[in-house]
Amino acid sequence: MENKLLVFLEAIQQHNSMTKAAQSLFISQPYISRTIKSAETHFGTPLIDRGHHPLRFFAT
């Protein structure tokens, strides 16, 4: 999961959008969302600020 998560996060950073990231990776946007949500639950911290557009990452 970690490698896939990194690929997804890099694509989101590059495209500033989960939808555009998914399109660039030829996968569905809900799949990226579920994967990131699962990682956030696993790590116990949010990774992406979904309330800000374009998307941005939470600072640590």
Side-chain angles (χ1 to χ4, degrees):
M1 175 178 93
E2 291 176 21
N3 187 35
K4 178 175 33 177
L5 177 63
L6 289 175
V7 169
F8 292 174
L9 293 174
E10 287 175 346
I12 291 167
Q13 182 179 22
Q14 179 181 5
H15 297 284
N16 295 316
S17 161
M18 280 196 211
T19 300
K20 290 178 183 174
Q23 290 170 345
S24 75
L25 297 170
F26 302 101
I27 58 175
S28 72
Q29 181 274 328
Y31 182 62
I32 286 183
S33 293
R34 281 192 309 270
T35 302
I36 291 173
K37 189 65 175 170
S38 176
E40 290 173 331
T41 301
H42 176 76
F43 295 123
T45 187
L47 300 173
I48 294 177
D49 182 357
R50 291 169 177 83
H52 187 270
H53 295 282
L55 291 177
R56 65 179 174 187
F57 296 97
F58 279 104
T60 56

